[in-house]
Amino acid sequence: MHSQSLSRTPQNVEIVPRNRQFNIDETLATNWHGGDAFKTAFFDAMSILFPLGEQFFIDSVKAFRGKFDDPELERRVRGFMAQEAVHRREHQRYNEALCRARGVSLEKMERAVNRRQKLARKLLTRKQQLSGTVAFEHLTAILADATFRNPEGLEGAHPEMAALWHWHALEETEHKAVAFDVFVAVGGKTWRRRLSMVLVTLEFTQHVIRNMRLLLRDYEGSRFELWRGGFKFLFGEKGALRGLKQPYLDFYKKDFHPWDHDNRELVSSVMSDFGGAEVNPI
């Protein structure tokens, strides 16, 4: 056994798969986020991306199992895959119920992501696919951090929906370094993950906006006011995504590691709501 593990997740953070299920079918037929169409569509649009995305993440990390010799990192890879599998299942249920309620085709909503993924699997090497996963995992990690750091983002949301997003954010935080550590362990290059982040940022933003437009296609009010208010909700003085600029830019540093953003205290504050290992200071 290695004297120093390839895993740089803190020893007192466990990656705990929680087999959660959420009763949200009826809620998804409504503007569940305080009656606000934009806020609801923003979260719903992200959910549409997750089942295909998380399967891609699982596959890209799984491809390198057995390519490094470290039992601790291997254990954390198993935890990562188990968490992402449950996320995939719950967001699949979420998306199917959402599309039934909204009268929109899930196949149509997923079409652009499906097309990009097929191209990626065909044209990119396994390591390049893993690099994309590393970039996506950083985006989800900083979004998860914002969920806890800026509680206004889910203020007024239906309690079951808020619980689902908090559960997802907690587990994204726990496993935020796994794909990164595997990438480093198999010789991934800094320039490659930087390039992946540029491409992934553009792709993620494009997909979320596209999905929001589909979900809001029947909105009858002023589109200008809808998006102006939405921009304030996301980036305003008490915006749901405020404070993300520096954590995002940190990823481009040569010596960056996801746990440089040590938010164990935030994780600990919500752990009691969802169960799992206690997170205590070392």
Side-chain angles (χ1 to χ4, degrees), residues 71-84:
E72 177 62 15
L73 182 53
E74 176 62 35
R75 185 174 73 85
R76 294 192 179 278
V77 165
R78 289 195 298 273
F80 165 83
M81 290 170 61
Q83 284 187 336
E84 293 288 49

Side-chain angles (χ1 to χ4, degrees), residues 209-227:
I209 292 172
R210 176 183 178 275
N211 290 346
M212 288 185 71
R213 290 180 66 188
L214 283 169
L215 290 167
L216 292 165
R217 71 198 186 287
D218 296 328
Y219 183 76
E220 294 178 351
S222 162
R223 296 286 171 141
F224 175 77
E225 289 300 324
L226 176 76
W227 286 88

Side-chain angles (χ1 to χ4, degrees), residues 82-135:
Q83 284 187 336
E84 293 288 49
V86 180
H87 295 178
R88 186 190 182 288
R89 183 196 73 200
E90 285 307 294
H91 282 280
Q92 185 69 28
R93 288 183 60 242
Y94 180 142
N95 297 346
E96 287 172 1
L98 172 69
C99 288
R100 277 196 305 272
R102 300 283 172 155
V104 63
S105 161
L106 180 55
E107 183 187 0
K108 182 179 180 181
M109 295 284 283
E110 290 183 331
R111 192 173 294 153
V113 176
N114 239 325
R115 193 165 54 238
R116 295 277 179 91
Q117 281 197 358
K118 283 178 181 173
L119 273 174
R121 291 178 192 274
K122 182 179 178 181
L123 301 177
L124 301 182
T125 66
R126 293 286 195 183
K127 197 174 289 185
Q128 287 168 342
Q129 291 176 46
L130 178 61
S131 182
T133 292
V134 169

Side-chain angles (χ1 to χ4, degrees), residues 16 53 98 103 170 268:
V16 184
L98 172 69
L170 169 64
S268 185

Side-chain angles (χ1 to χ4, degrees), residues 189-224:
K189 304 296 185 188
T190 302
W191 71 266
R192 165 59 60 189
R193 66 170 167 85
R194 286 172 174 160
L195 175 60
S196 291
M197 181 56 88
V198 172
L199 299 174
V200 157
T201 302
L202 294 171
E203 189 171 337
F204 179 79
T205 304
Q206 178 188 8
H207 287 319
V208 170
I209 292 172
R210 176 183 178 275
N211 290 346
M212 288 185 71
R213 290 180 66 188
L214 283 169
L215 290 167
L216 292 165
R217 71 198 186 287
D218 296 328
Y219 183 76
E220 294 178 351
S222 162
R223 296 286 171 141
F224 175 77

Side-chain angles (χ1 to χ4, degrees), residues 19-87:
N19 191 17
R20 294 295 302 261
Q21 292 184 306
F22 297 89
N23 182 21
I24 57 175
D25 287 24
E26 291 180 13
T27 306
L28 286 167
T30 69
N31 284 329
W32 54 263
H33 200 320
D36 188 290
F38 182 95
K39 295 177 185 179
T40 301
F42 174 71
F43 284 93
D44 289 349
M46 285 198 295
S47 180
I48 293 291
L49 303 178
F50 289 146
L52 289 173
E54 279 153 347
Q55 189 59 56
F56 186 89
F57 304 160
I58 290 168
D59 292 345
S60 68
V61 171
K62 189 177 183 180
F64 288 93
R65 292 186 73 179
K67 306 291 187 188
F68 52 86
D69 178 22
D70 185 79
E72 177 62 15
L73 182 53
E74 176 62 35
R75 185 174 73 85
R76 294 192 179 278
V77 165
R78 289 195 298 273
F80 165 83
M81 290 170 61
Q83 284 187 336
E84 293 288 49
V86 180
H87 295 178

